[in-house]
Amino acid sequence: MAAAPSDPPRQRLLRVAACTGPEVALVVDGQAVTAREGESVLSAVLGVVDHLRLHEVSGELRAGFCLMGACQDCWVWFADAPRGRACTTPVREGMQVFTRPPPGLLP
Amino acid sequence: MTRIVVVGAGPAGVAAATLLVERGADVTLIEERAQPGGQVWRAPAPGLALDMDRLLRGDSEGFRRFHAGFAVLRPRIDWRPETLVWNVHGGTVQIVAGGAQQALPYDALLLATGATDRIAPIPGWTLPGVFALGGAQAVLKDQGCLIGREVVFCGSSPLLFLAAVQYARFGAAVTVLDTTPLGAKISAVPGLAASAPRQLAKGIGLMAALRRQGRPMHLGVTLLGFEGSGGVTGVRWRDARGVERVTACDAVAYGHGLRPESQLAEIAGASLRFDRLRRFHAPEADALGRCGNGLYVAGDGAAIGGAEAAEVSGRLAAMALLADRGESVEFGALPERLARLRRFQDGLARAFAWPHAQVAALADGVTVCRCEQITAGEVRAVLAPQLGAAEVNRMKAATRCGMGRCQGRYCGHAAAEITAAALGRADAPLDRLRAQPPVKPLPIASALVEDDWP
Ligand SMILES: Cc1cc2nc3c(=O)[nH]c(=O)nc-3n(C[C@H](O)[C@H](O)[C@H](O)COP(=O)(O)OP(=O)(O)OC[C@H]3O[C@@H](n4cnc5c(N)ncnc54)[C@H](O)[C@@H]3O)c2cc1C
Ligand code: FES
């Protein structure tokens, strides 16, 4: 259930159709998240948190914008891959996603 | 053997590839996404139990026809999904797939790269929860997710009403705020009715459905900004009578129509022409989609047109390509059909207008470039006569506006309006940010492979 509009929701996306694929376990900022095959990193993360990243210059919260791979505003950090788009990257088992530069990795 | 490369597996690219294959051509079809469909026939992700009949209603037949057609086409072509064409150079398309790069030579190149949302920056447009209008619809189609529960659809676009109706079908509380006045819509009606009465009826039907359901819907509004801290909580707007209002929400779907993804065409050598009605640039092509030198464009990437125009223009460009290679083709009534559909789009461009004067007058403090976080004031500052940035690409070099990861897709149109107004040239054809390869950022790993090229 969404919170009242004056109180920003903890999750940003609302799922209205079920993903029926096998479960995929990932870790978002250290928190275990269960997604399903076919989900994008963006919908998995925005299903549990209300943003994807902090803007490098302004520090503003960002949650993606175009949702079709064009604006690059949804870049997150991965433990085992270069930074990249959350909206066009499918979830993978064991994936570690960060919405802040993870310690020990280059920003 | 003649190798034809088609880029983009939306209705235009797939229609072109189908016709070419039927005529015995050897076709490589390259698509950045995993699945064909483009924007209009975007398919649910594997395993997503989305009821397409509920989402698309009358359009679900078209969806099924497209995907059934593609299933027949697929074994007959060299199908390259999850492959980005990032450059066109020396008679090859440079592609990257799964981190590996390759240069594919072609004899003829048909670009059907589609479109993305055109955005007019306003206060608060970078807040979490504010999404591009097309994206709001895309995430429902392929991920089965809504961007929020109380969603304001605002800007101006026929898609505003379609997307709002689709969101309402899945339980969202929707409000529509359209910046084009009713008067402009009414004056466009005769032209729309003459060129595509069925499409006009469909559009009016969407507005009527929202009315019937009691969804708030206002035309001719002025959008003042999106409010909230850490996430959008409301839209501030002025109604047609001048009364200021705030609509509470937890998400915003925002856009002013579409802009062609013309970067590859430009890089491949097409000239661009300024479209005075829409105030953007599109590839210069003849009525069939020929740009010259074995380059063809079709669909939204050539001229914003909707699904039917995309399909028809894809077939026409493929026929032109075959004719240019000495084959006999029968164009029949298709060119006239495309011309009619494009006239309809001209009417739509008037009924859902780009608010260029408002963009040009954007307050100094508002962010124009969301990648590099550059404001309208920073853009204007480098245009002062003594600083000498007298053109949008010089402005870009001086400010970094348009130099970020989106390559100017989301700021370029506003930056061009602000620049032209500041230089007193708003009535002349606008400047534009020049396209540069790679058309999208490449994964770091793939850039390393570049050294191995012959
Ligand atoms: C979200 C959205 C919803 C829409 N809904 C409707 C609708 O319901 N009805 C309607 O009539 N119109 C709709 N439109 C308008 C729509 O754009 C057209 O109807 C139609 O999809 C255009 O077809 P196309 O083949 O020209 O381009 P698209 O359908 O946009 O397809 C272009 C394809 O090219 C691919 N591509 C682009 N660049 C590259 C590259 N460099 N490398 C590899 N692949 C690339 C893209 O991934 C995409 O799949 C919608 C538009 C949007 C943005
Ligand atoms: S949200 Fe724009 S690229 Fe992902």
Side-chain angles (χ1 to χ4, degrees):
Chain A
M1 193 60 217
S6 56
D7 172 19
R10 221 174 61 80
Q11 64 181 59
R12 219 154 258 299
L13 294 189
L14 295 173
R15 178 158 291 292
V16 292
C19 283
T20 62
E23 286 191 351
V24 175
L26 59 159
V27 180
V28 179
D29 291 335
Q31 179 194 344
V33 171
T34 305
R36 298 246 178 201
E37 220 170 273
E39 274 194 82
S40 67
V41 170
L42 180 136
S43 58
V45 175
L46 291 185
V48 292
V49 206
D50 68 355
H51 66 275
L52 293 170
R53 62 187 276 248
L54 294 180
H55 188 272
E56 294 80 357
V57 179
S58 63
E60 281 181 6
L61 294 175
R62 294 287 173 89
F65 182 64
C66 74
L67 304 176
M68 52 176 73
C71 75
Q72 319 299 325
D73 206 356
C74 62
W75 280 31
V76 289
W77 287 263
F78 299 104
D80 58 353
R83 274 191 88 183
R85 293 191 297 256
C87 73
T88 55
T89 305
V91 294
R92 270 183 294 104
E93 180 68 28
M95 194 177 228
Q96 285 192 57
V97 184
F98 304 91
T99 66
R100 304 285 187 280
L105 281 192
L106 293 175
Chain B
M1 188 186 273
T2 303
R3 158 73 49 193
I4 298 168
V5 169
V6 177
V7 183
V14 167
T18 304
L19 190 135
L20 290 166
V21 156
E22 280 165 3
R23 299 290 299 256
D26 189 5
V27 177
T28 298
L29 177 59
I30 306 175
E31 168 57 53
E32 189 187 357
R33 299 209 296 256
Q35 300 190 83
Q39 296 296 359
V40 60
W41 306 133
R42 184 184 277 270
L48 178 68
L50 179 64
D51 180 347
M52 292 309 274
D53 289 320
R54 178 170 170 201
L55 177 67
L56 298 176
R57 296 280 166 90
D59 287 336
S60 58
E61 193 39 49
F63 175 87
R64 264 188 286 275
R65 213 180 320 115
F66 174 91
H67 287 281
F70 184 81
V72 176
L73 175 67
R74 182 179 167 152
R76 305 177 67 189
I77 55 172
D78 172 22
W79 165 235
R80 310 260 187 142
E82 297 180 89
T83 303
L84 172 73
V85 178
W86 64 271
N87 194 13
V88 180
H89 182 71
T92 67
V93 289
Q94 303 190 323
I95 61 173
V96 53
Q101 296 218 19
Q102 207 184 339
L104 294 181
Y106 62 82
D107 297 299
L109 177 61
L110 198 156
L111 299 175
T113 47
T116 45
D117 290 277
R118 175 152 66 157
I119 301 297
I122 65 167
W125 75 290
T126 60
L127 281 171
V130 177
F131 294 102
L133 171 60
Q137 202 201 29
V139 80
L140 173 56
K141 281 183 183 171
D142 74 28
Q143 291 289 305
C145 291
L146 305 179
I147 59 168
R149 189 174 301 272
E150 291 171 74
V151 186
V152 177
F153 289 82
C154 58
S156 199
S157 162
L159 200 56
L160 218 50
F161 297 89
L162 176 62
V165 165
Q166 291 176 338
Y167 263 59
R169 285 175 193 155
F170 285 88
V174 302
T175 298
V176 177
L177 302 176
D178 184 332
T179 57
T180 310
L182 179 62
K185 295 190 172 25
I186 292 174
S187 13
V189 164
L192 293 171
S195 45
R198 248 181 344 139
Q199 259 126 322
L200 173 65
K202 211 163 121 182
I204 292 175
L206 291 172
M207 294 170 84
L210 289 167
R211 243 327 149 240
R212 225 174 21 248
Q213 296 168 16
R215 314 280 183 184
M217 182 166 77
H218 303 271
L219 306 182
V221 311
T222 304
L223 296 170
L224 301 173
F226 305 132
E227 303 189 331
S229 62
V232 69
T233 53
V235 179
R236 183 173 293 276
W237 54 285
R238 203 182 304 119
D239 70 19
R241 288 166 308 153
V243 181
E244 203 169 305
R245 306 170 62 165
V246 176
T247 301
C249 62
D250 57 20
V252 168
Y254 179 54
H256 280 93
L258 302 175
R259 49 170 296 281
E261 278 286 301
S262 55
Q263 298 88 337
L264 278 183
E266 182 181 351
I267 291 167
S271 327
L272 296 197
R273 73 187 154 78
F274 181 63
D275 178 333
R276 281 192 177 269
L277 171 60
R278 297 173 181 80
R279 294 181 71 80
F280 59 44
H281 291 80
E284 182 87 76
D286 74 2
L288 304 175
R290 287 186 180 100
C291 298
N293 292 326
L295 177 66
Y296 302 82
V297 289
D300 277 0
I304 301 302
E308 191 182 341
E311 188 184 328
V312 173
S313 72
R315 280 162 63 191
L316 278 173
M319 287 180 185
L321 190 161
L322 292 170
D324 292 347
R325 304 194 75 82
E327 300 205 20
S328 77
V329 291
E330 199 48 71
F331 291 104
L334 277 188
E336 170 47 30
R337 189 162 149 218
L338 181 61
R340 201 162 33 72
L341 291 166
R342 293 216 167 130
R343 283 198 295 280
F344 180 77
Q345 292 296 323
D346 287 349
L348 284 185
R350 293 190 177 89
F352 300 96
W354 163 247
H356 63 91
Q358 199 188 336
V359 173
L362 198 65
D364 277 344
V366 181
T367 299
V368 174
C369 168
R370 62 186 293 131
C371 299
E372 299 288 315
Q373 200 79 29
I374 310 297
T375 63
E378 288 171 275
V379 169
R380 290 188 185 107
V382 300
L383 298 166
Q386 67 278 17
L387 293 171
E391 181 271 333
V392 83
N393 292 285
R394 303 262 294 278
M395 178 284 296
K396 168 180 164 182
T399 60
R400 298 191 61 77
C401 175
M403 220 184 262
R405 293 191 195 114
C406 86
Q407 328 250 42
R409 283 175 175 83
Y410 292 92
C411 66
H413 300 277
E417 296 287 359
I418 293 167
T419 302
L423 298 172
R425 293 205 304 248
D427 293 331
L430 295 176
D431 300 333
R432 62 184 168 78
L433 293 172
R434 281 187 294 272
Q436 285 171 341
V439 299
K440 284 188 184 177
L442 299 177
I444 293 164
S446 71
L448 297 175
V449 181
E450 205 171 355
D451 294 335
D452 301 338
W453 285 4

